Amino acid sequence: MLADLFLVVITPMLQIPAMICFSITQICYFIRIYTNQESKKEKLIHIVIRTSGIILILILTLIVLKEKTDFLSLISTFYYINLIVNIIFAFKQSNQSLLFPIGLLLFACCDLQVGLNVLNSSYINIENNVVLNFIANPPFNLAWAFYVPSQTLIALSLIKDKTST
């Protein structure tokens, strides 16, 4: 809610505090997923993949954006790689809840649309790329089309099935 407050309610929007809040949320999801893993080997693989992904995406951000790299781009890519890793490991646990990984996947689609829009307006011109430009600037609010169901499914994933207890 805080991230959405910073992005949607407050004018002008406060992107950095929003991305910090989103990152904290992904870290909380990581803890949820990690604690549900029973195998020490799976936990180690999870940590290695997550850490490697974070390092790699931050290096790639520096390489691609060069002098345009700023804290917003770094925290945003940190957030998004954590979301991607959470999706992968949540799907591995889909026997516990399929709602959670699907919700995260829809959230990634929402954030991809928003991120491409910010990328185009602040960092790299994507107007010559027809596909990326369409995703960044669709004829309707694509972000909200993914956002509402994503948050609904993530919330519903916390409800325990009363028939299984």
Side-chain angles (χ1 to χ4, degrees):
M1 280 187 352
L2 276 177
D4 290 334
L5 173 73
F6 292 133
L7 291 177
V8 179
V9 177
I10 295 176
T11 305
M13 75 171 106
L14 303 172
Q15 292 172 309
I16 290 174
M19 293 314 301
I20 291 170
C21 290
F22 279 136
S23 295
I24 291 168
T25 300
Q26 290 309 313
I27 291 167
C28 291
Y29 291 157
F30 153 65
I31 293 167
R32 173 183 172 179
I33 294 164
Y34 184 82
T35 56
N36 284 334
Q37 290 175 309
E38 296 175 11
S39 162
K40 288 183 181 182
K41 181 180 176 183
E42 284 181 5
K43 287 183 176 189
L44 178 61
I45 291 169
H46 188 153
I47 294 294
V48 168
I49 289 173
R50 184 174 300 272
T51 304
S52 300
I54 290 168
I55 293 168
L56 181 63
I57 199 67
L58 293 176
I59 291 170
L60 285 173
T61 302
L62 291 165
I63 291 169
V64 171
L65 296 182
K66 296 177 179 90
E67 69 279 346
K68 289 188 176 183
T69 303
D70 57 9
F71 186 72
L72 179 61
S73 64
L74 293 171
I75 191 71
S76 297
T77 54
F78 170 86
Y79 155 75
Y80 205 73
I81 195 67
N82 274 285
L83 175 56
I84 297 301
V85 174
N86 283 341
I87 291 167
I88 293 165
F89 282 94
F91 269 109
K92 282 190 55 111
Q93 297 177 3
S94 61
N95 60 332
Q96 295 175 21
S97 172
L98 192 55
L99 299 178
F100 185 55
I102 292 172
L104 290 177
L105 184 61
L106 291 171
F107 199 46
C109 291
C110 167
D111 287 347
L112 177 64
Q113 194 276 324
V114 172
L116 286 174
N117 201 324
V118 172
L119 184 70
N120 188 40
S121 65
S122 301
Y123 299 102
I124 298 172
N125 185 347
I126 62 171
E127 290 176 5
N128 294 332
N129 186 311
V130 176
V131 175
L132 293 179
N133 191 41
F134 176 78
I135 295 170
N137 302 295
F140 58 94
N141 194 332
L142 188 58
W144 282 101
F146 289 118
Y147 180 78
V148 173
S150 78
Q151 297 308 293
T152 303
L153 291 176
I154 291 169
L156 288 174
S157 74
L158 294 171
I159 299 173
K160 298 290 182 200
D161 182 1
K162 294 184 190 275
T163 61
S164 65
T165 56

